[in-house]
Amino acid sequence: MRFPSVVGPELAGVIDLPEGEIRGWGLFVHGFTLGKDSPAASRVSKQLAREGIGMLRFDNLGIGDSEGDWGDGSFTVKVQDTVRAAAFMAERGTPVDLLVGHSWGGAAAIAAAREIVGLRALATIAAPVDPSHVERQYDSVLDSVLSDGAHEWFVGGRTLVLKRAFVEDVRRAHLRDRIGEVDLPLLVAHSPTDSTVDISNAGEIFQEARHPRSFISLEGADHLLTARGQAQRAAHIISAWADQYLDEPRPQEAASRTTENSGSQGPCST
């Protein structure tokens, strides 16, 4: 399936259909330069689908099967396209109950959560508390990008063009303020041996978050969840944690019921 990015080009996605009884629908937000078919995105989504939660995972701008130029994206675009993906799910009659973000996608998921109507729960995996954490990945070309406006960057077996506007947007992104504004159940999952995004990031996200909030330590997992069974384990945990929230009324439904109840009159006694 495909839907348009906020900047125009078509984005490509895959929906892992739920098996058995449908418990809900979710959206997975992949990491910085990864994609919908990365181990974390595909394995977590497929396992959640096996447990009754259908999942959309999609490639961001210029990644995988999506159109466009990756360099025309940014943290802001990633957040807005996450909201756009959720709107696509709602339009097809499967509104998003659960939002899951991995790595940089976890930061984007936090930033997007308030804008997704009806969202019930949010889970992050190995997320940085500061989106500019990714700057260390392209540190070797940063000076050239800032001086020339753009520079080629070889990463993950392919060449991307990193642009000054991208870097500046990432530097302007302040996630800490948004964490405390998320009025949703939050699960923070992180490995204590993550060598890419230190577990201290999880501690800061957890500290800033409102209740109900939960933390789970993914012992033995690497940042990309490539070790055998680790992505599936993370999915099991998210599935079990989310179960109590998937049965609750959607936020707008609950508000509607409250309004209806406040407007009704009880029986009269004399």
Side-chain angles (χ1 to χ4, degrees):
M1 42 70 54
R2 307 182 78 86
F3 60 92
S5 164
V6 293
V7 295
E10 293 271 302
L11 303 181
V14 171
I15 296 178
D16 295 300
L17 297 176
E19 298 179 11
E21 180 182 356
I22 299 175
R23 297 169 55 211
W25 295 90
L27 172 61
F28 193 99
V29 190
H30 68 69
F32 188 41
T33 60
L34 299 176
K36 69 180 186 308
D37 298 320
S38 62
S42 62
R43 295 173 188 174
V44 169
S45 295
K46 288 177 181 178
Q47 185 60 47
L48 286 170
R50 291 188 194 102
E51 300 187 21
I53 304 174
M55 295 293 294
L56 166 64
R57 47 190 167 96
F58 70 99
D59 290 322
N60 280 122
L61 194 70
I63 294 289
D65 298 319
S66 288
E67 299 174 354
D69 184 344
W70 177 83
D72 291 332
S74 63
F75 185 72
T76 298
V77 170
K78 187 174 180 70
V79 171
Q80 292 175 344
D81 279 344
T82 298
V83 177
R84 178 66 63 88
F88 168 83
M89 288 291 281
E91 289 166 5
R92 70 183 297 273
T94 53
V96 173
D97 302 295
L98 173 66
L99 182 61
V100 182
H102 170 242
S103 191
W104 209 52
I110 291 172
R114 288 190 67 201
E115 299 182 52
I116 298 177
V117 177
L119 186 64
R120 302 174 194 259
L122 168 65
T124 65
I125 305 171
V129 70
D130 184 352
S132 67
H133 182 279
V134 297
E135 195 166 291
R136 66 184 64 186
Q137 295 192 36
Y138 48 74
D139 182 67
S140 62
V141 300
L142 185 57
D143 289 343
S144 296
V145 171
L146 295 177
S147 62
D148 301 336
H151 197 278
E152 289 188 345
W153 175 44
F154 187 75
V155 58
R158 60 184 180 274
T159 300
L160 300 175
V161 177
L162 183 63
K163 300 182 179 180
R164 183 192 296 129
F166 190 115
V167 173
E168 292 175 345
D169 178 87
V170 170
R171 288 181 169 182
R172 287 193 300 268
H174 298 294
L175 189 64
R176 285 180 173 83
D177 295 339
R178 300 201 194 187
I179 297 170
E181 295 173 352
V182 176
D183 191 17
L184 287 167
L186 171 65
L187 173 65
V188 180
H190 213 114
S191 170
T193 54
D194 190 328
S195 59
T196 302
V197 178
D198 190 80
I199 196 171
S200 61
N201 286 266
E204 291 188 56
I205 292 172
F206 185 82
Q207 184 65 35
E208 294 290 337
R210 298 183 184 185
H211 287 291
R213 57 184 180 175
S214 303
F215 175 82
I216 185 69
S217 179
L218 300 175
E219 298 94 342
D222 60 295
H223 180 71
L224 298 178
L225 300 184
T226 55
R228 183 177 179 181
Q230 287 298 343
Q232 290 84 352
R233 174 173 173 253
H236 280 312
I237 293 168
I238 293 170
S239 174
W241 166 81
D243 192 60
Q244 61 180 318
Y245 306 115
L246 296 178
D247 289 332
E248 293 181 354
R250 293 183 180 281
Q252 73 270 29
E253 292 173 356
S256 175
R257 292 180 187 180
T258 301
T259 301
E260 290 173 2
N261 291 338
S262 64
S264 63
Q265 294 183 353
C268 226
S269 62
T270 59

